[in-house]
Structure formats: C-alpha cells, structure tokens
Amino acid sequence: MPIQELVQIKQSNDLEKNTAVMMAVNCAPVIKGSKASNLITVTMQELYMIRKLVRGTGISYHLLKIKANKFMLFLYRREALKRYILSEKVQKFLRGYGYPADDFSAMLHRLFSRVEQYSRGEIAYPHEMGAFLEYPIEDILGFMENDGENFSFYGYWKVYHNEQEMTQLFQRFDEEREHVLKEILEGKTIREIAV
C-alpha cells in the first residue's frame, strides 16, 4: 500500500475518508466478514462517522468506555459473534466468569457491565473480553497464565498455541486489510466493501 496516498488522505482533513482508512487498518477482517468483532479507540467525531459508515452493513457497535476524549468502541457482526460465543468450548470458558449459558444478549450485557466496572477501577481487567474478540480460548488462557509474557509470537493477539494456523490466519487478515485499504483509496465506501 503506497504510504503517500494514506498520508495525503490524512492531510486532506476529510473525516469520512480518514475514518474509513482507520477502520480499514484496524477492522478490515470485520468489514470483510472473516472475523466477528474488534475493538477500536476513537474520538467523538470518529464515533459519529463510524455510526454513519456502518449503517446498512450488518456491523453493530457498542460504546464500551470513555477515557478523556477517547472512546473504546466494540464493533461486531452479531450473528457471527453469536455463533462463536454460543459454541460449547466458549460457553464452558465464559461460565467460569459468571456468564449465563445460551443467552447471547445477556452475555453481551454482562460483558459491557464488566468492562464498565473495570473502567471505574472496581474489578481487574476482564480477560474474557478475548472470547468476545474471537480469540482462541487457548490463547486467552495462555495470556492469563503467563501474564502476557512467553508467547510464541504476536500478531492480532498474543499467540500461545497453534502457531502455524494463527500465522496463516494473521496473513489472511493482513491481506484483507490491504484489499480494503485499496478499495477505499479507489473511492469505495465501507458500505460498498462490507460483506
């Protein structure tokens, strides 16, 4: 991806294009439908623009926490995330954190509540967030057991297991990012690109 084109967009002060590029860099797999969810940090202006950009795409969002002038935004594809979260392995993991079984909406509500508690300093970081970001349970557990150290490699998350499989997955995510950025530079909107 020619960096000059990205710099020109950033310098143009075109909020819609800048926000689309930011989404492509951070959320291309969600835009393309190969990943169920992602977290991004945005400004108030970007938040309003993202609401506009994702309208009609099948991508939902939820504001998780506010810190100074920044917002943590959870972007997700509801049905894809629901399938993943309701799988037996993920359900077993989440039950250990008090999540209700087989009620996706209640599970999202509990996650959002726990993130809010964390942002107020009431609880430790809710590592189960990784499950809602579609990280493999083995990698979430590996991260927790190793305090974020001793990972095999780092990509879209810290990998502790299945290095070859995750390397291929991360490569596909990188290719999707390049593809989405190219389409945005060609003038397409997130709505036109989203699967």
Side-chain angles (χ1 to χ4, degrees), residues 16-92:
E16 184 167 345
K17 196 84 141 187
N18 283 337
T19 305
V21 166
M22 183 265 301
M23 287 182 68
V25 168
N26 294 289
C27 301
V30 176
I31 294 168
K32 295 305 279 181
S34 64
K35 190 170 182 304
S37 60
N38 206 9
L39 279 175
I40 55 173
T41 302
V42 297
T43 64
M44 178 64 87
Q45 284 184 313
E46 290 166 338
L47 172 63
Y48 288 127
M49 185 54 66
I50 287 170
R51 292 167 123 174
K52 175 184 171 187
L53 293 174
V54 301
R55 196 173 298 130
T57 64
I59 299 172
S60 300
Y61 56 88
H62 185 86
L63 184 62
L64 284 179
K65 71 176 182 179
I66 302 167
K67 191 171 188 176
N69 294 334
K70 295 286 185 171
F71 302 85
M72 185 65 69
L73 193 63
F74 181 63
L75 291 168
Y76 63 103
R77 290 184 171 274
R78 186 172 181 82
E79 290 306 311
L81 184 59
K82 184 177 180 180
R83 274 191 304 277
Y84 182 74
I85 291 299
L86 294 180
S87 69
E88 186 177 328
K89 187 177 194 177
V90 177
Q91 285 282 287
K92 181 180 176 184

Side-chain angles (χ1 to χ4, degrees), residues 8-193:
Q8 286 175 339
I9 289 172
K10 191 70 175 164
Q11 291 174 343
S12 73
N13 292 324
D14 180 338
L15 180 62
E16 184 167 345
K17 196 84 141 187
N18 283 337
T19 305
V21 166
M22 183 265 301
M23 287 182 68
V25 168
N26 294 289
C27 301
V30 176
I31 294 168
K32 295 305 279 181
S34 64
K35 190 170 182 304
S37 60
N38 206 9
L39 279 175
I40 55 173
T41 302
V42 297
T43 64
M44 178 64 87
Q45 284 184 313
E46 290 166 338
L47 172 63
Y48 288 127
M49 185 54 66
I50 287 170
R51 292 167 123 174
K52 175 184 171 187
L53 293 174
V54 301
R55 196 173 298 130
T57 64
I59 299 172
S60 300
Y61 56 88
H62 185 86
L63 184 62
L64 284 179
K65 71 176 182 179
I66 302 167
K67 191 171 188 176
N69 294 334
K70 295 286 185 171
F71 302 85
M72 185 65 69
L73 193 63
F74 181 63
L75 291 168
Y76 63 103
R77 290 184 171 274
R78 186 172 181 82
E79 290 306 311
L81 184 59
K82 184 177 180 180
R83 274 191 304 277
Y84 182 74
I85 291 299
L86 294 180
S87 69
E88 186 177 328
K89 187 177 194 177
V90 177
Q91 285 282 287
K92 181 180 176 184
F93 172 75
L94 290 173
R95 275 194 298 272
Y97 290 93
Y99 283 80
D102 301 325
D103 186 342
F104 180 68
S105 293
M107 294 172 85
L108 280 180
H109 180 74
R110 175 151 174 78
L111 172 69
F112 300 154
S113 174
R114 284 183 49 82
V115 170
E116 191 175 303
Q117 288 176 298
Y118 166 72
S119 68
R120 290 192 308 258
E122 297 171 5
I123 63 170
Y125 183 79
H127 288 289
E128 72 271 18
M129 168 61 87
F132 289 89
L133 293 172
E134 207 177 2
Y135 298 171
I137 298 302
E138 297 83 7
D139 289 334
I140 299 167
L141 293 171
F143 182 91
M144 293 166 60
E145 290 165 4
N146 291 280
D147 292 322
E149 301 295 326
N150 305 318
F151 47 90
S152 299
F153 76 100
Y154 181 83
Y156 287 78
W157 57 84
K158 290 182 178 179
V159 174
Y160 292 85
H161 299 278
N162 302 323
E163 184 176 338
Q164 184 176 1
E165 182 183 337
M166 293 302 106
T167 300
Q168 292 172 349
L169 179 64
F170 292 173
Q171 184 176 16
R172 187 175 88 218
F173 288 169
D174 288 345
E175 290 167 2
E176 289 175 340
R177 180 177 53 216
E178 291 294 319
H179 185 74
V180 172
L181 279 169
K182 182 176 182 265
E183 289 183 298
I184 288 169
L185 291 174
E186 291 171 352
K188 289 188 177 178
T189 65
I190 296 292
R191 190 176 298 118
E192 292 170 320
I193 300 167

